[in-house]
């Protein structure tokens, strides 16, 4: 083993940590530009683990995000990540950083918001190098779970709202009545969420 302990240092850690001592000396192959035939997905998966170890335990991740948003406030682009990594002494190519962006970019805008950046750091289901639609599907799944949990927890209120909308007990409601009932049970529910539930028909 040319670098003692490297297998331990590079090993993926499932728990967030505060390892501020992660430096290129622990990633010797990142200290120089990648070779032409480098496995970009494998490299970025390793680098993502370094990000988790370095930043996942920080209480103020928003500060890290703002420091990475170099081109446009509120968004981190692949070029931003490449520049930040370069300042850390980690040599990566922009297409490699695009793999990290795509892993959590749920609407394919070519950048990540703070929510998506936090998903990149904290998310246990993030798959670097996966299909382009994977981030969007993961987001829809999360939002759906949260929405259904809210409806279940407010089941009595929802049931009462539907009864008020359908006093004759025909068990048929219009889309507008459905929206009103759901809105009564769940405050601040978005129009898009109502549309999603209506289209799904709870199947």
């Amino acid at each position: 083993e040319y670098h003692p302990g490297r297998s331990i240092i590079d090993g993926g850690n499932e728990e967030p940590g505060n390892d501020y001592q992660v430096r290129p000396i622990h990633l010797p192959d990142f200290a120089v530009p990648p070779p032409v035939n480098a496995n970009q997905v494998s490299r970025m998966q390793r680098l993502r683990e370094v990000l988790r170890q370095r930043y996942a335990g920080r209480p103020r991740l928003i500060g890290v995000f703002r420091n990475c948003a170099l081109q446009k406030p509120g968004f981190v682009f692949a070029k931003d990540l490449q520049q930040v990594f370069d300042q850390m002494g980690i040599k990566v190519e922009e297409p490699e950083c695009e793999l990290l962006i795509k892993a959590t970019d749920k609407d394919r805008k070519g950048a990540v918001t703070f929510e998506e950046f936090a998903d990149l750091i904290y998310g246990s289901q993030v798959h670097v190098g996966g299909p382009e639609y994977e981030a969007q599907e993961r987001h829809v799944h999360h939002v759906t779970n949260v929405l259904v949990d809210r409806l279940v927890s407010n089941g009595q209120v929802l049931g009462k709202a539907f009864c008020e909308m359908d006093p004759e007990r025909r068990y048929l409601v219009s889309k507008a009545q459905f929206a009103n009932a759901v809105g009564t049970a769940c405050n601040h529910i978005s129009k898009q969420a109502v549309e999603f539930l209506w289209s799904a028909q709870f199947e």
Side-chain angles (χ1 to χ4, degrees):
E1 187 175 19
Y2 67 89
H3 190 277
R6 178 185 174 188
S7 60
I8 298 176
I9 295 169
D10 285 351
N13 186 0
E14 296 182 358
E15 297 297 327
N18 267 325
D19 188 356
Y20 299 108
Q21 303 304 314
V22 175
R23 289 294 184 270
I25 189 172
H26 296 153
L27 300 169
D29 50 324
F30 281 85
V32 295
V36 178
N37 60 344
N39 187 327
Q40 293 184 341
V41 173
S42 176
R43 281 168 52 85
M44 290 304 100
Q45 287 173 345
R46 289 175 56 209
L47 193 52
R48 193 244 169 179
E49 290 301 325
V50 171
L51 291 175
R52 293 186 69 190
Q53 293 173 14
R54 181 173 174 80
Y55 296 123
R58 290 197 175 189
R60 293 186 56 82
L61 188 64
I62 185 66
V64 177
F65 173 77
R66 288 171 178 166
N67 290 335
C68 292
L70 304 176
Q71 297 184 61
K72 183 179 180 181
F75 297 91
V76 173
F77 292 84
K79 191 70 176 179
D80 296 334
L81 286 181
Q82 183 186 25
Q83 186 171 339
V84 171
F85 287 142
D86 186 69
Q87 292 171 354
M88 296 170 62
I90 298 176
K91 306 299 181 183
V92 294
E93 299 292 338
E94 187 173 348
E96 292 182 311
C97 294
E98 289 176 355
L99 292 175
L100 294 175
I101 297 296
K102 290 178 181 178
T104 54
D105 180 11
K106 62 179 181 290
D107 47 7
R108 305 183 187 181
K109 59 188 171 299
V112 292
T113 61
F114 173 69
E115 178 186 356
E116 294 164 340
F117 183 77
D119 190 25
L120 179 65
I121 303 299
Y122 295 112
S124 59
Q125 303 298 321
V126 174
H127 182 207
V128 177
E132 291 187 2
Y133 55 81
E134 190 173 82
Q136 185 178 24
E137 285 189 346
R138 189 173 60 253
H139 174 70
V140 171
H141 180 74
H142 170 71
V143 172
T144 302
N145 284 342
V146 172
L147 183 57
V148 171
D149 287 344
R150 287 178 63 189
L151 290 174
V152 171
S153 64
N154 293 291
Q156 291 183 347
V157 178
L158 182 63
K160 181 180 179 181
F162 274 116
C163 288
E164 292 176 352
M165 297 291 175
D166 184 26
E168 299 177 2
R169 299 297 188 272
R170 292 177 300 170
Y171 302 103
L172 292 172
V173 294
S174 66
K175 187 175 182 179
Q177 290 174 321
F178 175 82
N180 287 335
V182 173
T184 300
C186 298
N187 295 330
H188 309 298
I189 188 170
S190 67
K191 182 179 179 180
Q192 291 83 354
V194 173
E195 290 285 348
F196 175 79
L197 289 173
W198 179 260
S199 300
Q201 296 291 306
F202 296 100
E203 293 181 359

